[in-house]
Amino acid sequence: MELGFLKPLFDRPGPWASVYIDTTRATEDAQKLQKLRERSVASQLIDAGADAYTIRALMDRLTHEPVSGAPPGRALFAAGAEVVLDIPLSVTPTGIEATWSVLPHVAPLAGLRGDEPSCLVAYIDRTGADLELRDAHRRETMGQANGKEQGRGHRSVPTGEWHFRNKVENNWNETADTIAGELARQWPGSGAQLLILTGDSRERRAVYNRLPERIRAATVEAENGSRSPGASKSVLDRQIAQACEEYTRDRLQSALERFRIGRGRPGEHRAASVDTGRGEAAEGVPAVVDAARSHQVATLLLAQDASDAGRDVWIGPGVDEVAVQRGQAQAMGVAKPVQARADDALLRSAAAADAEVLLVPEGMQGPAGGLGAVLRWRL
C-alpha cells in the first residue's frame, strides 16, 4: 500500500478519532443495522474521551452515507471537529472500531483498503488509444492519443496496391509512436504501478516495442479489450484483476526475499558480509524505529497478526521524532514526549519518507514480532 494519501493526517495535531465501520447495505434491515453501528461508534468515542464536536462531525458524515453504491466499509479520521479523511474500504471490517488517540490509528488500513496497484490502461486500435487510470476505488479518463486517419475500405487505389499498403503501414507506425510517446509522458505523473495495453495483438505489440525499457518492465498485454463505444469490459476486468494479483504477490515475495537476506537477529541489523553488506533490513521495534527516524525505510513490513504492533513507543510532533524510550525522545529535543502505538508511529514516519507498507498474510513467514523493514541503503 502506497502511503501518500495519508499525509493530510500527519500535517495537523491530534488527538484523533479513528473509525472503522461496516457500511454494507445488502439486507432488508440494512438501515436499522446502520443506525446501530453509528450508535456503537458514538458510544466508543464517548467512552474514550473524544470531544463532542468531533463526534458530531463523524455522526453527520456517517448519517449521509448513500444507500446505493456503498462500499464494504469505511475508515474515517477526524480531529478538531472536522473529518479530515474518509476512505472507502475494499474489505468489510470484522467489527466496529472507534478509537481516540494522539495519532490517527491507520494501521488497520493495510488489511482493509486492499493492495491493488494503480493501473494505466490503454485501449488501442489502428487510429489511436483511449487512456484510463484505475484502481480498486476509481476509474478516471486520462485522455486520448490519436494518430492519422487510415484507410480501411477496398475502393480503387489510385497509386497502386503496394503504395496504398505502404502508406497505411507508415501511418500506423506514426500512430504507434504517438501512443507510446503519450504513455511515456503520462506515466511518471500518473502514480500507476502497472501499464495495461489492450486491443488487437499487432497494435498492442507495436506500441509495447516503442515504450522506454523502464516502462516495458511494468507493462502487461491483455486481450479482449476494445476501444469501441459500448464494448463489454467484463473479461478485460478479470484479466486486469489477475495481473494486479500477480503484481502484488511478486512485489511481496521480492520484498520478503530482500528482507530475509538482509536481516539479522530480532532487533539488530545483520553484520557485514560479502554478499549483503550491512543493514539491508531491520527487524523488531528498536531496529525499525531507528531506521524510520533516519528515513531509511523503503518498505515497511507489517504482519497481519503482529504482536509488536500495539507496543508503545515515544513520539514528538515531528514525523521523525520517534523513540523506544522516553529518555531517547527527550535527548532528541522533544520537550514533552507522548506514547503512541508502534505501528501507527512507524506508518507516520514511513508516509513522510514516501515509503510503502506491505501486509504479510497470516501463515507467511515474515519479521519476528510482525514488524520489519527493507531499507533504502546499507549502514
Side-chain angles (χ1 to χ4, degrees), residues 71 92 148 197 205 214 262 286 320:
T92 302
K148 293 183 177 181
L197 304 181
R205 179 52 47 171
R214 59 184 175 81
D320 56 354

Side-chain angles (χ1 to χ4, degrees), residues 180-199:
E182 181 62 15
L183 289 170
R185 186 188 70 82
Q186 290 208 26
W187 177 258
S190 69
Q193 289 89 49
L194 276 178
L195 173 60
I196 308 292
L197 304 181
T198 187

Side-chain angles (χ1 to χ4, degrees), residues 271-287:
S273 72
V274 174
D275 296 327
T276 67
R278 181 181 175 89
E280 292 177 330
E283 183 173 36
V285 173

Side-chain angles (χ1 to χ4, degrees), residues 109-348:
L109 286 173
L112 296 175
R113 190 170 185 266
D115 199 25
E116 179 177 319
S118 177
C119 300
L120 182 60
V121 184
Y123 300 89
I124 302 169
D125 64 16
R126 293 186 66 84
T127 65
D130 295 329
L131 308 183
E132 176 186 75
L133 186 65
R134 63 157 74 181
D135 58 24
H137 310 286
R138 65 189 172 99
R139 294 188 181 185
E140 178 183 353
T141 299
M142 300 296 286
Q144 297 178 326
N146 292 318
K148 293 183 177 181
E149 293 292 331
Q150 302 186 37
R152 290 179 177 272
H154 298 281
R155 297 176 182 176
S156 60
V157 182
T159 55
E161 182 178 353
W162 183 88
H163 291 285
F164 174 74
R165 292 184 181 276
N166 189 58
K167 182 178 180 180
V168 169
E169 185 68 22
N170 289 338
N171 284 350
W172 163 242
N173 287 334
E174 291 182 20
T175 299
D177 287 336
T178 299
I179 297 171
E182 181 62 15
L183 289 170
R185 186 188 70 82
Q186 290 208 26
W187 177 258
S190 69
Q193 289 89 49
L194 276 178
L195 173 60
I196 308 292
L197 304 181
T198 187
D200 292 338
S201 59
R202 183 174 180 271
E203 282 81 2
R204 291 198 318 262
R205 179 52 47 171
V207 172
Y208 177 88
N209 289 336
R210 287 165 168 79
L211 291 170
E213 185 176 351
R214 59 184 175 81
I215 300 180
R216 284 205 304 268
T219 300
V220 174
E221 294 185 63
E223 299 178 357
N224 303 303
S226 173
R227 197 184 182 198
S228 303
S232 174
K233 295 184 178 180
S234 59
V235 177
L236 175 64
D237 288 343
R238 289 195 294 271
Q239 289 181 324
I240 292 177
Q242 181 179 355
C244 289
E245 289 175 6
E246 292 175 356
Y247 171 87
T248 300
R249 183 177 62 250
D250 292 346
R251 185 174 60 161
L252 176 59
Q253 290 176 345
S254 176
L256 286 175
E257 181 63 21
R258 289 179 60 198
F259 173 78
R260 289 164 186 155
I261 291 173
R263 72 177 176 179
R265 291 177 296 174
E268 295 181 354
H269 294 302
R270 178 173 177 160
S273 72
V274 174
D275 296 327
T276 67
R278 181 181 175 89
E280 292 177 330
E283 183 173 36
V285 173
V288 180
V289 164
D290 181 55
R293 192 166 51 241
S294 56
H295 295 204
Q296 283 181 268
V297 175
T299 302
L300 183 66
L301 298 172
L302 177 64
Q304 204 158 24
D305 54 351
S307 58
D308 281 347
R311 178 174 168 178
D312 285 335
V313 295
W314 292 89
I315 66 167
V319 294
D320 56 354
E321 293 175 342
V322 54
V324 174
Q325 298 178 353
R326 187 171 185 270
Q328 290 176 327
Q330 290 175 322
M332 292 161 47
V334 180
K336 295 181 179 179
V338 294
Q339 289 182 303
R341 288 177 58 106
D343 51 3
D344 291 332
L346 289 169
L347 280 164
R348 180 181 70 156

